[in-house]
Structure formats: structure tokens, C-alpha cells
Amino acid sequence: MLEIENLGKRYGRDENERWALKNVQLTVEAGEFISIIGRSGSGKSTLLNLIAGLLKPTIGEIYFQGNAILNLNDKDASQLRNTKIGYVMQGYGALDHLTVLENLCLPFWLFPRKGEPRKRAEQLLKQVGLLEYADTYPTKLSGGELKRVAIARALMNEPALLLADEPTGDLDESNTKNILALFRDIADQGTSVLMVTHEMDALSYGDKVYRMEAGQLIK
Amino acid sequence: MKEHRLSPFQLAIRNLRRGITRTTGLVILATLLSAVVFGGSILTFCLQNGLKNMKERLGADIMVVPVENQSELEAILLKGEPSCFYFKKSLEEKVKNLKGVEKCTSQFFLTSLDAECCDARVQLIGFDPDTDFSVQPWIQKTYKERLSDGAVIIGSDIHLEQGKKLKLFDMEYDVAAKLDKTGTGLDQAVYATTDTIKKMYEAAYAKGQRFLEEADPDFYVSSILIRVEEGFDVKELVKSIRKELGGVQVVESQSMITGTAENMKQVALFLYLFSGLFLMTAIIALGLAFVLSANERKREFAILRTLGATRKKLAGIILWEAGLISLIGGIIGIVIAAMIVFPFHVYLGDKLGMPYVLPPLAQILGTGVVTLLVAVMIGPLAAVTAAIKISHAETYLIMREGN
Amino acid sequence: MKLSKNGILSGIIFLVLGLLTAIGPHTIFAVCAPMEKGFMKCHWTAQAQSGIGGGIALLGIVLLFLSSEKIRIGIQIAILTIFVQGLLITNWLIGVCGGEHMKCHSLTKPALNVIAVAGIAFGIVNLIWLLRRKEQV
């Protein structure tokens, strides 16, 4: 479903040249849960942002469902990110002036669509155990709850691939376990999950584990 | 639970409500801008209309008055300040026979008593129906018949209706017609034939009212009005009149009009400069405010981008916000300006001391529409920099900043 | 005593408008001076507006200190009717001098009308807002 070939990202030139990613090869099948572990600054987030189309690589190609996606125009890349790829970003990522329910509905309204997103949003909130907070504003929620809101929002448009950048950062053990179990569930339901983390506990939840070291992906 | 669409427009409304203090400040700025543009435009149009009416109304090319009374004449014409002054009627015959005089007529002025008819003194102007060419064409627009003895025509600002009676010097006179507004001081005058004025004069005399000198309408007049022959040099005729008459003031209507036009230009120039400066300031201030706001909200826009918002959509949110602010401010500004220029238009005209007539309704509405369009465009125009900046921001870098 | 934002805002606005109505016709947009035969109509309008404006200002002060929305709604309605009375006095019940260029006609009357209309417009908007809030609660 996701195929990465020879991906590299360079910053700077000549003496200041630094390769954040080098020669990355990766394949993700449908319904697979893959964890990428590595230290801070090893290039994990850079990889996710390249896949999500928020960053352009220096060399290499990414194929999503058989199609090359790096040369898409802004509209197509945004639509891909909106419909096929869900992204749980680092930090909490909720808009404070919208309620939890509205935060979830937001991806639905970004591209012209028919229908009403509320039912799906409520279903997702139920799945993550936050239905009672639908009309609450994010400032009233805890870190763990906000993370679950972010995950639910990323699933709103039924993506084929879920990217998660440090989803358990800042969370306690109990919440961490809940989030990892949730990802396992999601993968079991057919959505591929690509998670970057420095959490060693993740090893037991995923199907495959990779290590990122100095911009290179090692299995 | 409430249903919500979250189009860029709805997001813009939410954003404006969230930062209500900032929004209020920007709306106030847009309000001031549209108030200045609308109010300034209406003021200018009123002055232009007034000048146009003044040109039409004056009728005569030259007016002859006693030597020391030119300022009183101007006060009557421009400010409606009643006055009376006299010189010998025989001078009219001398003027009639001068070369270059096409038409010649005289007028006789009186003033009413305080608070007798209309809460304030009014100018009474007697005209000769056989020779007059200045007042009658104006009267004809409203009253086609010949003015009978004992009847009067009133200016538009006299507070009495056609068919009612006007009380002057303890006598009542029929109001045959009310003239259209000219925006000049003549709106506050009462017109009658010299015969009627003579009766008024006798009635006033009987009441013990004296008008400066013992001015008898049979032997004295207040002004002589002259129309110059087509092609004849007005200045040449002015010279002849001065030479022939001596001891009189000769007033060229054109210089009075030019003088008023010059004054009007000064006011209009001031208004244009002020509006222009204000417009520039508003655009800069709005632009800065939007850039600063966009800077503060980088993370919010980065989240939207991550969720799949196109660059165009992000720019759209900012432009909608700017458009809404300028629309709301534009409407409020027009309403506020309207609450000043329309109810107070008589006061403004009096204060400016120039002919001042409200433009027709169609022109007012047109001005309102144009002002609103300008106001609505200014916001998005000012926000363009912010919109471009936010739509081209590197999402990845912004997300890293926050972590 | 818990003050509400809306109470403070509406209280101040009505206090200011009330004071302008009461004092304005005697000062910044004064009516005509008395003539030989005595006071003219506009003088009596100014006197009446002192009462009207004073009443509005007083109710404005009361609004400042009220937290109960129900009572504030009642007071708002009272203020609105007083403003309407003021309009009637200026334009119909007593009125001002007839001459268009007389100060009371060109300045005082429009000033009083504009203040009253502004007060009524604000009052209606605020009333609607208060009533909708009451429904939601």
C-alpha cells in the first residue's frame, strides 16, 4: 500500500550539508502496524512529514496505493492527506475555539463532500471513550484525552494509512497502553498504522519494528 | 448537540468571535474609514449641488447695491441673514439705457419683525412683475399663475405650507406657493410684487416700524439686477455703471460664484486629503493587524494544513475574516455618518456658510453602495500579505517550533 | 454584589445617553434664547428632556448594579418607552421653533432625535440578546 524508494532529505549545502534522511526503503502493507523507534533528531518525524506531503524530499520516490505522490500539486496532495492519510501529530493539535465534536468534523468539511459527519464523529468518540465530551472545549481535557481526540480526528475520513508522531509522548503508563491498544485495534480493522516513537513498549503491539539511526532506516 | 458546517466562512466567523477584542478594534477602524468616506462624499456633493443651484438661481449677471452694502447682499444670498438698504430708484432708469444692458429690474427689501410669523426675522423681497427676470423664472417652476396683489411666495425654508396665511406687520397674506430648495439664503426669503411690498411697508410704517431711512418703495430700491447682452463684455458694462452712477457697489455674480466655488474647492480638497490619508492609514493598520494575528495563529493554520487544507483554503479563511470585518465596519460606518450628515444638514450648511443642498436620493444610495464596496475591498486588500504568508508557511517547521 | 458585563456596558451607555439628553439642550446643542415675548416652544422641550434624560440616566445607573437578567429586561423595556416619549416630545407633543435655520431646529432637534434613535436601537438589540440568553439557560 505504501512503498518508499531510496528516500533522502538534505538540508544546507556544501560544508553545511546535513542528510536528515538517507536511502530510506520501506513497504507498508494494508492493515500492518509498523513502529519506528529512534532517538530524538534521528529523522523519524522527517520521514512522516515526507509521507504526509508536508515536506519535499531531495531524492527518492513514494508510492501510495500504486501512485507516485511526490509531484502532486497542492490541491491533490492536500486531498490525499485529507482522505487517505490520517496524521496524529506531535503535541496535541486540537483547535481550542472548536468543541471536541467540531474538531473531529473539521477534516470532513475541508473538501466538498455530501453528507453529515456527526454520526461518524460520535461513533469515533465512542470508540475512543470520549462521547460525553463531544460539546466540551479542548482546554478542559487532559493530555491523554486530547491525544485520543487527535487520533479520532485522524480517522474521521476513513484513511487507508494512519501516521502517528510520538503519540504517547507526555502520557503516563496507563494512557500509553490504551493508545497503543487502540492503534492495534485500528490496524486489525484494516487501516495501516505507521507510528514513530521512542517508547520501547510499542515493540509488543506492532507487526514490524524498524530503527532510525542518523537518518537511515534499519530493520 | 449543535450542527455545524465548518466552511472557511464559518471558521472565519468562529475566529472573529474568539478574538472579540481584536475583532472589535479592527471593526472600529473599518467603521471610521467608511464613515469618513461616506460622510465626506455627501458633504462634497451637497456643496457641489449648492453651487450649481446658486449659479442657476442668481439669474442676474450684475447686481447694483448701495456702496457700503455688498457684504449685506452676500449675507442675504449665502446665509439668509435678513437686511435692508436703499438707494434712489432713478438710478434704475440710468442703468437701463447703458450699452450692453439686455434686461434690467429692481428689487425692494424689507425685513419682518422678530418672531412675528416664523419665529425669526425673514427677508422680504419685492419684485416688479413687469420687468423681473430673476425671481419669476424660479417661481414659474412651482407656480404658473401671475402673483396677485396681497399674495406672497415663500422660500423652501419658511415653515408654512401653500394655502396657509403669512402674518406680517399685523396683516395676513396668502401663501400662493413655496419654492424649491436652492441651498442659498434665498430659501429663507418671502417674495411679493412691489405693490404688495408697498402695502407691507405702509402697514409697517403705521405700526411704527422704521427701516433705517425713510425708504419709500415709490422712490427707493434696494438693488438693481442686470442681464448683460450676449457677447458684451461684462467688465466693460461694470465700468460704465460705476462711471454713470457713482456711489454704488457693483457686484458681478460670476465673481461671487467663483469666490464661493473657490471656498468650496478648499473644503473639498481638505475632505479628499483627509479621506485619502485615512484610507492609507487604515490599510496599513489593518494589514499590520492581520500579519500579527497570522503570526500568532501559525500553529492553528499548520494543524489545518495537516488535516488537508489547501494553501488556497488557508488564505481564504484570512480573507473571509478581513472581508467580514470590513463589511460590518462598513455598514456601521455608513449608518453613523448618515446619522450626522442628514439630520444635521441644515446646521452644517449654515456653519460652512456656503450654498448647501442634499443630493437626490439616487445619488445618496449610489454613494452608500460605492462606500460599502470600497470598505469591503479594503479589508481583504490589507490582508493579502498575511494570507500569502500563512498559506506559504512551512507546516513542518511550525509544528516543530511548538514542540 | 456580582456585576455582569452586559449590565455594566448597557448601564454606561444609557447613563451617557441619558445625560446627553438631559443636559445637551441646555449646553452643547442649546435651544434658542428667550425672546422679548418670553420663552419659545423649544425652551419647554429642553425642560421636558431634562426629565426624560434624567430618568434614563438613573435607570442606567440601576442597570450597572443589577445581576438579575429578568429585572434588567424589565428596566430595558422601561428605558425604551422613555426614549420614545422623548421622541414624541421633540417632534410632536411640544416640538421646536418652525424656522429651519433656527438653532433649536437645525441642531437641538436632530441631536435629540439621533440620541433617542441610537438609544432605542441599542436597547432593542440588547433586549433581544438578553431574551435569547434567557431561552438558552
Side-chain angles (χ1 to χ4, degrees), chain A residues 74 81-82 97 102 110, chain B residues 4 14-15 305 311 313:
Chain A
D74 181 62
R81 204 162 47 246
N82 180 259
H97 59 294
E102 286 165 347
L110 288 176
Chain B
H4 288 296
R14 297 303 207 85
N15 291 334
R305 190 95 177 100
R311 296 191 193 282
K313 202 147 244 158

Side-chain angles (χ1 to χ4, degrees), chain C residues 5 37 42 44 60 67 86 92 100 115 118 120 123 125 127:
Chain C
K5 262 195 218 163
K37 66 174 186 182
C42 51
W44 303 112
S67 53
W92 190 41
E100 270 203 22
I115 292 168
I120 291 168
V125 165
L127 197 61

